[in-house]
Amino acid sequence: VGKRETEVRETIESLVRLLGEKRVNVAEVWSCYDKLKIRRMLLYLPYEVWAQVLKTCQWAASSKSRPGEKGKSKKKEQLFPIRESRVSEFSKDFSEKHSLFWTRSISKRRALMVLGDMHRVSYGNALETDDDTAPDGYTGAVSAKSLALPWKPTTVHYNIVLDVICRDQSSQVGELAEVHKRMRSYGVREDTVTFNTLLNGCRMLRAWDYFGEIETHMVRRSEWGVTRMDATTWGTLLQGYIECRDWVSVDRCIDHVKSASEQWHATAQPQKGAAALGRESDAGQAFAPTTQLWATLVNAYAMRDMVDQMIDARKTMGRLGIRLNAHVFGPIFAALHRMRKLLTDRQCDAWPAVVLALDEFSAMRASEIAPNPVILTNILLTIGLGLGPGQRRAGIADARMSQKLAQTNEETARELEGLVNKARDPDAYAALLNVGAKTRNYSEIRALWKTLVLETRLSDRDALPVLTSRTLAAYMNALISCRAYEEAIAAFYDHIPSQPQPLAGAMARSARVAPALPRLEVVGLPVYEAATHAFARAGRHRMCPLLLRTMVSHGVPPSALFLRYSLLPPDSSAATRNHAAHYTRSWTLPLSTARDLWSTVIAARRDAWMNERRDSRPVIVNDIATQLIRVAAYARNVEFGEEVFDALAREAQHYGIGHGEENRRRRDALPDHMQCAPNVRTYTSMITLYANNADLGSVSRLWARMLQEGVEPNLHTYTSLIVCLHKVSLRKRWRKSREHAELRELDPAHSGNGLDDLLAPTSQDKMLARIEDWVVNWSSRAPPDHAQPDKEQQQKGAAPGIDVPFSTLLLRYHAAYIRDLKSNGAFIGGAHADKVANEYNLVRAMRICQLVENSGIRPDQRFYAAVADLFDACGDNTSAELVRQHIESM
């Protein structure tokens, strides 16, 4: 018995000593705890040790480093190998066999186990020793009076357990609700930290319904005066509603934060002394604002590009005496960069964004804030790279403003380079490479990358890695911006991990690859996206499906940007002005490559649909589906096009996005390039797919569905519809002519209904004529400057005006109709056929030519070729030759 008491006393002392060390050895702490639990001695633990043991679980769940090596991060967020250098003999066998890795799930299970042990010890259900006395010689043992008290868990213990559950990504919201329910059933009252932990856990687990319930419950308790909502509470609410894109709730939280901060500022003035404290107690919802809370508020404005409100919020922080930091200015400069880019893309004056950036840069310097690489990059991209030609206002290019721009440019560039020289910061390298991609300075990009590779070779293995997925992706994108596609592909092969079965193309270059080149441990999604961008622009689209399968096999899900890059046409000319290439009519992705890409994507998305995972943004979006359907239309593969369209509708259903009013909030939360509800472009591509096969029945069903969902057709939609109607009409007239010819072969005296039967317009011709009359009448009434809506209005379904492709299609239709009238009318009388053609089709064709001329549209060669074809169909060879001479002169 004495030996047993001595061993227990030494174990408790060892546990207390380990918990008091600066670096806690998790393995040895739990070995001591398990030893006491097995020996049934948990009752003798000091009460404060329970909280320290739970905090060990909290630290292990939140730390990114190995237990026992705090500070040596390996960038593995969920894996903590256990060191055995200081593990006692008791736990050595257990550690080797059962605890090789420490994960957040283990931390969660341990925390729940400790909480259960506390309840069992408190209510006397623990397995106790033979006697009720503490071991002799143990000074930390509790008194008999303390042993008689119930040592049940308090709010602090439950808060730690809730936090550990929140940090485990495999947790479910039901676990949080169950612990919270148990906490209330045992009579433990929640405090502000409890609700803040629950809110943060719901935010991390993306449980937005329970998130709203917790907020409602907390607001009610705050109104009753039971708990108080502090700055952390409102910051968590604000961040959560930002992540779920509930902008109505975001604005509500912002209004409350502003009013509460103003109220606190009014009650915290020192001139009133004690009276101010009395008003503070009566302030109700007032609380002391923090920098983190207002940084989140500024970010909420910046994400919606609300520049005026964003800058006003930053100025309000200075007025309230809230300290500014880089987290406040980061979203501001990012929003100003987006503002400048938007103004430049719309060919507007971008000087307002530059002026605001200069003012905010001066404010940041006045606050003595050291900018980070991301801020410096956004400053350079906004003001350092200058405005494009013709983009500056007439009165601002004076000497003082030019000097200020040059000084800011030089200062930010010098600081960014200083960050690279002073510290091993991968973000600084990525920022400089992004700036190089904008300036397209090939020599600087290569020199910077050689410096990064050299620093990686000479660095310590345990140091923070400079070669990351972000820096490699930035380097590859910079090379792609310089049209060095093969070098970007070479960089991808040089720095990815060595594969047991390398990607195709790597074996041919293995002989000339330097053996000492550093490689990534884990390849991230940005590297795969940059690689597929380089492969597509280099014309090697067959590598994209293989790259996608490799990416998915390594646990990286596909993204919409990856698919967009895979559908880009090859860069056939280095002198192309439009560097951001788009899908063109002169090139289309081969159907086999498209099907290989689609098979991997649809398998990954079906798994996400089945498991109801919405942790990422949509992958199958409108522009990607539109291009894949165009590939199917070019190959006349209706089955593949319908499969893509059905998958797009399923993706919209998965994210709860539709055209109804009830889905407006979810639809508006996504940007335009991530919308997955079928729009007018997707429906137009499907109509083109059916039109190529002259499937009028499918077109009519799809048209009814489009109108039922509230999608308005545009000019391109009517163009595809006319193609379908024209093909069906030609087939009908061809069948009538063949039937008439066969009957005349059997009976030469047979004339049927004569010319009226053969030349009568079909129902498709009548519908086509109504569409033509509607478009022509609308274009005739519209002013000249509104006769052709812009691209954005057409995509939204604005009323169509005449344009060159539409008018060219109508001219070719009338030319083909005239030929049919002549060929079919030859059975009875050609003169009458010519008369009918000149009275109907030629007049309508000339009306279209006159409308194009009055609308101020500049025709292209295809339009003039259609005019020449029309004259040939009418037999006017002289006019046709004149038009062709005009085409040659163009």
Side-chain angles (χ1 to χ4, degrees):
V1 175
K3 182 180 179 180
R4 179 183 178 186
E5 290 181 353
T6 303
E7 185 178 0
V8 170
R9 182 178 65 251
E10 292 177 352
T11 304
I12 294 177
E13 292 176 351
S14 177
L15 178 60
V16 174
R17 177 179 54 82
L18 288 172
L19 292 173
E21 292 181 354
K22 186 176 181 180
R23 291 186 178 182
V24 180
N25 191 310
V26 179
E28 195 164 347
V29 166
W30 285 112
S31 67
C32 295
Y33 182 88
D34 293 340
K35 185 176 181 179
L36 292 173
K37 185 175 181 180
I38 292 173
R39 300 297 176 88
R40 305 174 183 178
M41 292 294 176
L42 290 178
L43 186 65
Y44 297 105
L45 279 179
Y47 188 68
E48 61 272 8
V49 172
W50 293 97
Q52 296 178 6
V53 172
L54 287 174
K55 288 181 180 179
T56 304
C57 299
Q58 187 180 24
W59 172 80
S62 60
S63 176
K64 296 183 181 180
S65 59
R66 298 181 181 183
E69 288 186 311
K70 190 174 180 180
K72 293 185 178 181
S73 176
K74 295 298 181 182
K75 295 295 184 181
K76 296 182 179 180
E77 297 183 0
Q78 289 185 308
L79 206 59
F80 308 103
I82 289 183
R83 291 173 58 87
E84 300 180 3
S85 59
R86 299 175 57 192
V87 179
S88 63
E89 292 296 330
F90 173 79
S91 64
K92 184 176 181 180
D93 182 71
F94 172 79
S95 299
E96 290 180 352
K97 291 184 178 180
H98 306 289
S99 185
L100 296 178
F101 298 99
W102 188 275
T103 63
R104 288 189 172 97
S105 298
I106 295 178
S107 296
K108 179 180 67 176
R109 290 196 294 269
R110 282 281 184 174
L112 293 173
M113 180 191 71
V114 172
L115 190 65
D117 292 341
M118 290 190 69
H119 278 291
R120 283 190 292 271
V121 171
S122 172
Y123 290 98
N125 295 327
L127 296 175
E128 300 177 353
T129 56
D130 296 336
D131 54 353
D132 294 336
T133 60
D136 296 336
Y138 176 54
T139 58
V142 296
S143 62
K145 182 178 180 181
S146 299
L147 287 174
L149 296 176
W151 286 7
K152 66 178 182 179
T154 61
T155 306
V156 175
H157 302 95
Y158 274 101
N159 291 344
I160 297 175
V161 174
L162 290 173
D163 183 70
V164 173
I165 295 176
C166 295
R167 295 181 184 275
D168 183 16
Q169 295 180 355
S170 62
S171 299
Q172 301 293 331
V173 67
E175 298 177 4
L176 279 177
E178 181 65 26
V179 174
H180 186 208
K181 180 180 178 181
R182 183 187 304 176
M183 175 181 179
R184 303 184 67 182
S185 65
Y186 280 110
V188 182
R189 296 184 60 180
E190 308 99 323
D191 58 0
T192 303
V193 178
T194 306
F195 286 106
N196 291 346
T197 306
L198 288 172
L199 288 174
N200 191 47
C202 295
R203 183 187 65 83
M204 296 173 65
L205 300 177
R206 319 285 297 179
W208 303 122
D209 294 336
Y210 194 56
F211 186 86
E213 293 179 6
I214 294 297
E215 182 200 3
T216 304
H217 187 58
M218 193 172 186
V219 169
R220 188 183 301 114
R221 291 175 64 90
S222 178
E223 293 175 352
W224 294 343
V226 180
T227 56
R228 187 175 181 83
M229 301 177 69
D230 56 3
T232 305
T233 306
W234 287 105
T236 307
L237 288 172
L238 197 57
Q239 184 63 31
Y241 286 126
I242 289 174
E243 292 179 4
C244 70
R245 298 299 191 271
D246 188 356
W247 301 119
V248 177
S249 300
V250 167
D251 292 335
R252 174 174 52 82
C253 292
I254 287 176
D255 294 339
H256 185 88
V257 168
K258 286 183 176 181
S259 62
S261 300
E262 293 284 354
Q263 193 175 5
W264 172 86
H265 181 71
T267 56
Q269 297 298 326
Q271 64 270 15
K272 297 296 183 180
L277 298 177
R279 286 200 310 271
E280 185 177 1
S281 61
D282 298 334
Q285 300 298 328
F287 54 82
T290 61
T291 303
Q292 184 178 4
L293 172 62
W294 276 81
T296 307
L297 188 148
V298 172
N299 185 35
Y301 284 134
M303 291 183 64
R304 291 179 285 176
D305 295 332
M306 302 171 68
V307 178
D308 296 337
Q309 294 86 342
M310 171 184 68
I311 296 177
D312 290 341
R314 195 268 305 163
K315 294 179 180 179
T316 304
M317 292 181 65
R319 182 173 56 83
L320 297 178
I322 306 174
R323 186 175 60 87
L324 301 175
N325 58 12
H327 296 289
V328 177
F329 286 96
I332 292 177
F333 286 109
L336 293 177
H337 177 216
R338 291 193 299 269
M339 176 183 175
R340 179 195 179 277
K341 184 180 179 183
L342 180 63
L343 293 175
T344 305
D345 293 342
R346 293 181 177 179
Q347 297 182 355
C348 300
D349 184 15
W351 181 247
V354 177
V355 172
L356 291 175
L358 289 174
D359 294 340
E360 293 303 309
F361 182 76
S362 301
M364 185 179 65
R365 285 300 184 207
S367 302
E368 297 180 354
I369 296 175
N372 55 34
V374 178
I375 292 179
L376 293 174
T377 304
N378 286 322
I379 294 174
L380 281 175
L381 296 178
T382 306
I383 62 179
L385 300 181
L387 301 175
Q391 301 248 345
R392 295 193 177 186
R393 198 175 295 168
I396 57 91
D398 53 357
R400 185 183 61 179
M401 192 58 66
S402 300
Q403 182 181 2
K404 188 175 182 180
L405 280 173
Q407 180 181 358
T408 305
N409 181 14
E410 181 181 357
E411 186 176 353
T412 52
R414 185 171 59 251
E415 290 192 13
L416 194 55
E417 293 174 357
L419 289 176
V420 175
N421 297 329
K422 293 179 182 179
R424 295 171 45 84
D425 191 355
D427 293 337
Y429 278 103
L432 280 176
L433 289 170
N434 290 332
V435 173
K438 295 294 181 179
T439 58
R440 301 178 188 175
N441 193 327
Y442 178 78
S443 59
E444 291 186 2
I445 294 171
R446 290 287 300 164
L448 182 62
W449 186 253
K450 289 180 180 179
T451 304
L452 185 145
V453 172
L454 180 61
E455 187 175 354
T456 305
R457 289 177 180 175
L458 300 177
S459 62
D460 186 11
R461 179 176 296 180
D462 294 332
L464 182 67
V466 179
L467 178 62
T468 61
S469 295
R470 182 177 179 182
T471 54
L472 180 57
Y475 174 61
M476 294 173 64
N477 288 325
L479 292 176
I480 292 172
S481 66
C482 298
R483 290 186 171 85
Y485 306 119
E486 294 298 334
E487 291 191 29
I489 296 173
F492 173 71
Y493 284 130
D494 289 344
H495 299 288
I496 61 174
S498 301
Q499 304 288 337
Q501 295 180 354
L503 290 172
M507 296 297 293
R509 337 182 30 262
S510 59
R512 61 178 185 270
V513 173
L517 285 177
R519 294 181 179 271
L520 292 173
E521 294 183 2
V522 179
V523 183
L525 178 60
V527 177
Y528 287 112
E529 291 174 346
T532 190
H533 191 188
F535 280 125
R537 300 296 284 151
R540 299 165 61 179
H541 290 82
R542 289 298 304 171
M543 286 297 301
C544 296
L546 178 61
L547 196 63
L548 181 60
R549 287 194 293 269
T550 304
M551 181 177 71
V552 174
S553 65
H554 285 81
V556 181
S559 65
L561 187 59
F562 185 95
L563 296 179
R564 287 193 183 97
Y565 285 152
S566 302
L567 295 170
L568 287 177
D571 188 5
S572 58
S573 174
T576 306
R577 291 187 60 187
N578 187 10
H579 186 66
H582 298 283
Y583 188 91
T584 60
R585 295 183 179 180
S586 61
W587 178 87
T588 182
L589 187 70
L591 180 63
S592 58
T593 305
R595 293 192 72 94
D596 289 346
L597 277 170
W598 181 253
S599 61
T600 307
V601 172
I602 194 62
R605 296 313 299 163
R606 282 172 179 167
D607 182 65
W609 298 337
M610 183 181 300
N611 297 323
E612 295 292 333
R613 292 199 306 267
R614 300 182 181 87
D615 51 350
S616 61
R617 289 190 171 186
V619 177
I620 306 174
V621 294
N622 280 319
D623 59 330
I624 295 173
T626 298
Q627 295 188 18
L628 290 174
I629 293 172
R630 289 177 182 175
V631 173
Y634 184 82
R636 303 292 198 274
N637 193 320
V638 179
E639 180 182 0
F640 178 58
E642 290 178 341
E643 182 181 356
V644 173
F645 187 78
D646 294 340
L648 179 66
R650 181 64 181 84
E651 186 87 339
Q653 180 184 358
H654 176 68
Y655 286 93
I657 300 173
H659 294 282
E661 291 295 331
E662 65 277 3
N663 299 322
R664 178 183 297 275
R665 185 172 65 88
R666 296 190 183 96
R667 185 174 68 251
D668 294 341
L670 292 175
D672 293 339
H673 65 279
M674 298 302 295
Q675 293 291 336
C676 53
N679 59 2
V680 63
R681 294 183 60 191
T682 311
Y683 279 108
T684 300
S685 300
M686 285 298 297
I687 292 174
T688 304
L689 173 67
Y690 292 134
N692 288 346
N693 293 327
D695 189 355
L696 190 59
S698 299
V699 169
S700 61
R701 290 191 297 270
L702 190 68
W703 193 276
R705 176 180 175 181
M706 178 179 65
L707 297 180
Q708 183 180 3
E709 292 185 357
V711 180
E712 295 292 336
N714 59 10
L715 188 63
H716 305 290
T717 314
Y718 286 109
T719 302
S720 300
L721 179 60
I722 287 176
V723 170
C724 182
L725 295 174
H726 186 195
K727 288 186 176 182
V728 174
S729 178
L730 287 177
R731 291 186 180 186
K732 282 188 175 181
R733 284 196 293 271
W734 180 81
R735 285 194 296 267
K736 287 183 179 180
S737 61
R738 291 296 302 171
E739 180 182 357
H740 188 80
E742 291 174 359
L743 291 176
R744 291 197 59 168
E745 289 179 0
L746 297 176
D747 184 9
H750 174 75
S751 61
N753 294 330
L755 189 63
D756 295 335
D757 184 34
L758 289 176
L759 304 183
T762 62
S763 58
Q764 288 75 30
D765 292 326
K766 296 177 182 178
M767 183 182 297
L768 197 149
R770 289 197 297 269
I771 295 175
E772 177 185 349
D773 292 338
W774 179 68
V775 174
V776 169
N777 293 334
W778 187 90
S779 301
S780 301
R781 293 194 304 268
D785 55 342
H786 294 85
Q788 186 178 4
D790 57 9
K791 185 177 181 180
E792 182 179 359
Q793 291 177 348
Q794 290 183 6
Q795 291 180 2
K796 291 181 179 180
I802 198 72
D803 65 348
V804 173
F806 187 80
S807 57
T808 303
L809 179 63
L810 290 177
L811 290 178
R812 293 195 176 279
Y813 162 73
H814 289 298
Y817 201 170
I818 292 173
R819 288 194 180 92
D820 289 342
L821 292 174
K822 286 188 175 183
S823 60
N824 294 333
F827 291 105
I828 300 178
H832 184 60
D834 290 341
K835 182 179 179 181
V836 174
N838 292 331
E839 288 181 353
Y840 183 75
N841 291 276
L842 189 58
V843 174
R844 298 178 69 90
M846 291 298 102
R847 183 181 62 169
I848 294 173
C849 295
Q850 187 68 30
L851 182 61
V852 170
E853 182 180 358
N854 296 336
S855 300
I857 304 174
R858 183 178 180 180
D860 56 3
Q861 295 184 3
R862 292 178 298 175
F863 179 83
Y864 286 113
V867 174
D869 185 57
L870 178 66
F871 286 138
D872 284 335
C874 296
D876 192 352
N877 298 327
T878 303
S879 300
E881 186 64 26
L882 291 175
V883 174
R884 291 190 176 92
Q885 291 179 3
H886 179 68
I887 295 175
E888 294 177 358
S889 65
M890 296 175 62

